[in-house]
């Protein structure tokens, strides 16, 4: 068991590790340093802001009607537990290595450069597609609200899904550009914008819970766990990977249906890991990162469970809407005004989801650039705002164009597999770093290591196996492209690789 205090790179070749001390020293270089301005409250607001999105407004109805019935609440609990296992691992790393980059930085300190590159490349895709998909979803909500008041966007500027022939989603494009400007101007401004939007979003969610509670009928909860029904077998690449490999056929309803539903509603929790990317910009990361990560996840889990219990109590699960369950449930009980408020809350709420995903991507890109795995040009911070303005502008423009021209519905599942892959790597990294650097000060310690991280890995892998084989194929193609970039550029330009084991980084 190693107890080295290090100061230089350790290991050789593809699996050389960048020590915690080296990572922290990098944050002290004036030209590459980020401004520390965030508190535990800011981090919690970021977490809530990115987690509560379309999931709570849409997935509840789909899962209740097709997979779990009123037991959808238990599916949210199960998915929340899977995320909590990963969150405990993230909290230890974020408080021990308070450096931008999240899972990328954690992997570099524990599993080596190749693994770090792989997860960094994965996160770049995850956050880019996530930002674009959410921007397109926001555009759809806004167009719907505009239509309600008689304002209509031309079809050619409403996106490729709406227009026949050429289509450009102008609203999604402009949203990403606006958020790019806000992120360049500084994290504190971003936190203030997020706080206002999250307040609106939470108000809408509380309206659903409190107002909806008056329309609950006990009969709608019967049966709470509907009888099990076998799912229709998937065909070809559309089938879940677990079905192709093991012949396992997932079940709708019944006890196993709850876990099938959990693999769907898990996607509503995606984003809490983005909080870890802001570790370097936090005033007291050792104390505040665990609070922000775990606090935001706990708040969102409680709200998800409450909303799902209310909406399945208002309307029998067999009659629920799949596209807009919360709004349509209020329409069904004769209160369309609440439906309009919910649609407005969903549209406003997606703004923060989009911004925080974009923030996460730029921080990962910045960290990889600072290590030389991507051009160092992108690791210079703005002289006044102390933000990574170069990658923020580059990625913001690229994602705005993607959001404007592309229909990304099928690619959205890549966001999910990317997140779960990051969960697996971080959990393994906790185990490895505990063995290789036991003397490190850990302000927060994941309990029951290695048992809890192993359970986290197993739970994440199980959810990954329930994703379509087609998603795995696309993910593999992106990873192969990443390996080519690493071996053609990153490996030879790595700052760590240019130093010997006895060198000062």
């Amino acid at each position: 068991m190693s107890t080295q205090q290090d100061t230089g790179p350790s290991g050789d070749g593809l699996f050389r590790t960048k020590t915690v001390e080296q990572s922290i020293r990098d944050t002290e270089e004036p030209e590459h340093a980020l401004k520390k301005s965030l508190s535990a409250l800011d981090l919690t607001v970021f977490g809530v802001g990115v987690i509560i999105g379309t999931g709570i407004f849409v997935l509840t109805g789909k899962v209740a009607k097709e997979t779990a019935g009123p037991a959808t609440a238990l599916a949210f609990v199960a998915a929340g537990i899977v995320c909590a296992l990963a969150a405990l691992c993230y909290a230890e790393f974020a408080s021990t290595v308070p450096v931008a980059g999240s899972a990328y930085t954690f992997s570099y300190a524990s599993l080596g450069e190749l693994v770090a590159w792989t997860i960094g490349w994965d996160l770049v895709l995850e956050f880019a597609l996530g930002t674009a998909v959410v921007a397109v979803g926001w555009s759809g909500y806004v167009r719907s609200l505009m239509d309600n008041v008689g304002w209509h966007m031309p079809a050619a500027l409403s996106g490729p899904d709406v227009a026949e022939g050429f289509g450009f989603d102008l609203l999604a494009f402009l949203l990403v550009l606006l958020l790019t400007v806000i992120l360049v101007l500084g994290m504190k401004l971003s936190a203030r914008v997020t706080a206002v939007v999250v307040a609106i979003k939470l108000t809408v969610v509380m309206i659903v819970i409190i107002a909806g509670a008056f329309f609950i009928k006990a009969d709608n909860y019967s049966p709470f766990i509907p009888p099990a029904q076998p799912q229709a077998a998937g065909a070809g690449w559309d089938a879940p990977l677990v079905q192709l490999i093991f012949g396992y056929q997932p079940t709708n309803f019944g006890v196993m249906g709850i876990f099938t539903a959990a693999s769907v509603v898990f996607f509503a929790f995606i984003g809490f890991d983005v909080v870890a990317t802001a570790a370097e910009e936090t005033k007291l990361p050792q104390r505040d990162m665990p609070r922000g990560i775990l606090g935001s996840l706990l708040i969102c889990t409680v709200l998800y469970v409450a909303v799902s219990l209310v909406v399945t109590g208002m309307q029998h699960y067999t009659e629920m809407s799949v596209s807009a369950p919360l709004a349509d449930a209020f329409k069904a009980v004769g209160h369309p005004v609440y439906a309009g408020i919910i649609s407005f809350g969903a549209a406003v709420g997606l703004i923060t989801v989009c911004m925080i995903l974009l923030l996460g991507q730029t921080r990962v890109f910045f960290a990889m650039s600072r290590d030389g795995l991507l051009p160092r040009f992108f690791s210079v911070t703005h002289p006044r705002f102390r933000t990574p303005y170069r990658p923020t502008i580059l990625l913001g423009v690229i994602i705005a164009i993607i959001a404007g021209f592309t229909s990304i519905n099928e690619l959205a599942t890549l966001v999910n597999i990317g997140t779960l892959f990051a969960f697996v790597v971080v959990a393994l990294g906790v185990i490895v770093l505990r063995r290789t650097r036991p003397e490190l000060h850990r302000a927060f310690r994941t309990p029951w290591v290695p048992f809890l991280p192993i359970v986290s890995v197993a739970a994440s892998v199980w959810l990954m196996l329930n994703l379509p084989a087609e998603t795995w194929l696309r993910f593999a193609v992106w990873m192969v492209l990443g390996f080519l970039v690493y071996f053609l550029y990153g490996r030879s330009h790595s700052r760590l690789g240019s130093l010997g084991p006895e060198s000062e980084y």
Side-chain angles (χ1 to χ4, degrees), residues 274-315:
V274 179
V275 176
T277 66
E280 191 174 326
E281 293 157 278
T282 304
K283 295 176 183 176
L284 298 171
Q286 289 79 6
R287 183 195 70 183
D288 292 343
M289 287 306 303
R291 292 181 180 182
I293 293 172
L294 297 172
S296 58
L297 182 60
L298 176 61
I299 290 170
C300 293
T301 301
V302 171
L303 291 177
Y304 278 13
V305 170
V307 166
S308 59
L309 284 173
V310 167
V311 74
T312 54
M314 291 177 65
Q315 196 174 21

Side-chain angles (χ1 to χ4, degrees), residues 140-209:
Y141 272 109
V142 172
R143 289 198 308 272
S144 176
L145 290 171
M146 291 171 63
D147 290 341
N148 290 341
V149 296
W151 299 345
H152 304 291
M153 289 282 292
L157 298 178
S158 299
D161 285 333
V162 178
E164 294 182 5
F166 172 83
F168 180 76
D169 195 329
L170 180 64
L171 292 177
F173 175 80
L174 293 177
L175 174 67
V176 177
L177 290 186
L178 174 62
L179 297 180
T180 298
V181 171
I182 293 174
L183 289 175
V184 168
L185 293 178
M187 281 293 283
K188 200 60 185 178
L189 175 62
S190 305
R192 288 170 181 164
V193 172
T194 301
V196 172
V197 176
V198 168
I200 296 172
K201 185 158 48 175
L202 288 180
T203 299
V204 171
V205 172
M206 294 308 297
I207 288 174
V208 171
I209 296 171

Side-chain angles (χ1 to χ4, degrees), residues 59-366:
L59 284 181
T60 305
K62 177 179 176 62
V63 169
K65 187 169 186 175
E66 300 176 0
T67 314
T72 296
L74 298 180
F76 275 115
V77 172
I81 290 173
V82 173
C83 289
L85 294 172
L88 289 168
C89 298
Y90 270 90
E92 173 169 325
F93 259 129
S95 63
T96 307
V97 194
V99 177
S102 184
Y104 161 76
T105 300
F106 307 157
S107 302
Y108 217 158
S110 56
L111 301 173
E113 185 171 280
L114 181 60
V115 177
W117 166 267
T118 302
I119 196 64
W121 187 252
D122 161 58
L123 291 175
V124 167
L125 175 70
E126 173 195 339
F127 294 149
L129 289 180
T131 304
V133 169
V134 172
V136 171
W138 173 84
S139 174
Y141 272 109
V142 172
R143 289 198 308 272
S144 176
L145 290 171
M146 291 171 63
D147 290 341
N148 290 341
V149 296
W151 299 345
H152 304 291
M153 289 282 292
L157 298 178
S158 299
D161 285 333
V162 178
E164 294 182 5
F166 172 83
F168 180 76
D169 195 329
L170 180 64
L171 292 177
F173 175 80
L174 293 177
L175 174 67
V176 177
L177 290 186
L178 174 62
L179 297 180
T180 298
V181 171
I182 293 174
L183 289 175
V184 168
L185 293 178
M187 281 293 283
K188 200 60 185 178
L189 175 62
S190 305
R192 288 170 181 164
V193 172
T194 301
V196 172
V197 176
V198 168
I200 296 172
K201 185 158 48 175
L202 288 180
T203 299
V204 171
V205 172
M206 294 308 297
I207 288 174
V208 171
I209 296 171
I210 296 172
F214 290 98
F215 303 105
I216 291 176
K217 295 181 180 179
D219 291 346
N220 289 332
Y221 290 130
S222 180
F224 191 76
I225 302 179
Q229 300 174 6
Q231 281 189 4
W237 290 104
D238 291 333
L241 192 64
V242 68
Q243 180 180 321
L244 295 180
I245 296 176
F246 303 108
Y248 170 77
Q249 190 172 355
T251 303
N252 288 335
F253 306 114
V255 174
M256 292 307 296
I258 295 173
F259 295 101
T260 302
S263 68
V264 177
V265 300
F266 164 81
F267 307 147
F269 288 92
I270 283 177
F272 80 85
D273 56 318
V274 179
V275 176
T277 66
E280 191 174 326
E281 293 157 278
T282 304
K283 295 176 183 176
L284 298 171
Q286 289 79 6
R287 183 195 70 183
D288 292 343
M289 287 306 303
R291 292 181 180 182
I293 293 172
L294 297 172
S296 58
L297 182 60
L298 176 61
I299 290 170
C300 293
T301 301
V302 171
L303 291 177
Y304 278 13
V305 170
V307 166
S308 59
L309 284 173
V310 167
V311 74
T312 54
M314 291 177 65
Q315 196 174 21
H316 198 269
Y317 74 92
T318 57
E319 301 172 353
M320 291 185 67
S321 161
V322 172
S323 59
L326 274 62
D328 289 347
F330 278 100
K331 288 180 182 178
V333 296
H335 288 274
V337 174
Y338 287 120
I341 293 173
I342 292 167
S343 295
F344 172 76
V348 173
L350 290 181
I351 294 174
T352 56
V353 179
C354 193
M355 182 171 72
I356 299 168
L357 287 172
L358 180 58
L359 179 152
Q361 189 200 34
T362 59
R363 269 46 179 184
V364 173
F365 197 96
F366 169 79

Side-chain angles (χ1 to χ4, degrees), residues 243-490:
Q243 180 180 321
L244 295 180
I245 296 176
F246 303 108
Y248 170 77
Q249 190 172 355
T251 303
N252 288 335
F253 306 114
V255 174
M256 292 307 296
I258 295 173
F259 295 101
T260 302
S263 68
V264 177
V265 300
F266 164 81
F267 307 147
F269 288 92
I270 283 177
F272 80 85
D273 56 318
V274 179
V275 176
T277 66
E280 191 174 326
E281 293 157 278
T282 304
K283 295 176 183 176
L284 298 171
Q286 289 79 6
R287 183 195 70 183
D288 292 343
M289 287 306 303
R291 292 181 180 182
I293 293 172
L294 297 172
S296 58
L297 182 60
L298 176 61
I299 290 170
C300 293
T301 301
V302 171
L303 291 177
Y304 278 13
V305 170
V307 166
S308 59
L309 284 173
V310 167
V311 74
T312 54
M314 291 177 65
Q315 196 174 21
H316 198 269
Y317 74 92
T318 57
E319 301 172 353
M320 291 185 67
S321 161
V322 172
S323 59
L326 274 62
D328 289 347
F330 278 100
K331 288 180 182 178
V333 296
H335 288 274
V337 174
Y338 287 120
I341 293 173
I342 292 167
S343 295
F344 172 76
V348 173
L350 290 181
I351 294 174
T352 56
V353 179
C354 193
M355 182 171 72
I356 299 168
L357 287 172
L358 180 58
L359 179 152
Q361 189 200 34
T362 59
R363 269 46 179 184
V364 173
F365 197 96
F366 169 79
M368 296 173 75
S369 171
R370 191 164 57 186
D371 290 331
L373 299 181
L374 290 171
R376 289 270 290 172
F377 170 83
F378 293 109
S379 65
V380 176
T381 54
H382 193 281
R384 178 182 174 187
F385 305 120
R386 310 310 302 170
T387 55
Y389 69 106
R390 289 173 177 174
T392 301
I393 293 172
L394 172 69
L395 296 170
V397 171
I398 291 174
I399 295 171
I401 294 172
I402 293 173
F405 282 108
T406 313
S407 175
I408 325 177
N409 295 332
E410 293 182 1
L411 294 183
T413 52
L414 281 171
V415 179
N416 308 323
I417 195 170
T419 301
L420 289 164
F421 180 55
F423 285 5
V424 170
V425 170
V426 169
L428 292 174
V430 167
I431 298 173
V432 171
L433 201 63
R434 282 283 189 97
R435 292 184 62 86
T436 58
R437 298 296 306 278
E439 83 290 350
L440 281 175
H441 173 66
R442 293 169 169 84
F444 179 89
R445 296 178 68 89
T446 304
W448 308 313
V449 174
F451 173 75
L452 188 146
I454 290 173
V455 173
S456 177
V457 169
S460 297
V461 169
W462 173 251
L463 294 183
M464 290 173 74
L465 290 174
N466 277 277
L467 292 171
E470 185 177 30
T471 299
W472 282 83
L473 181 61
R474 288 170 173 161
F475 183 64
V477 170
W478 177 253
M479 287 293 105
V480 169
L481 179 61
F483 286 133
L484 290 175
V485 175
Y486 173 72
F487 285 107
L488 293 177
Y489 180 89

Side-chain angles (χ1 to χ4, degrees), residues 18-29 36 95-99 105 280 286 370 440-441 505:
K18 179 181 178 182
T19 64
V20 174
E21 293 83 358
Q22 292 169 319
S23 294
I24 293 175
R25 277 201 300 275
D26 279 353
T27 69
E28 299 167 354
E29 298 176 358
K36 296 182 181 296
S95 63
T96 307
V97 194
V99 177
T105 300
E280 191 174 326
Q286 289 79 6
R370 191 164 57 186
L440 281 175
H441 173 66
Y505 188 85

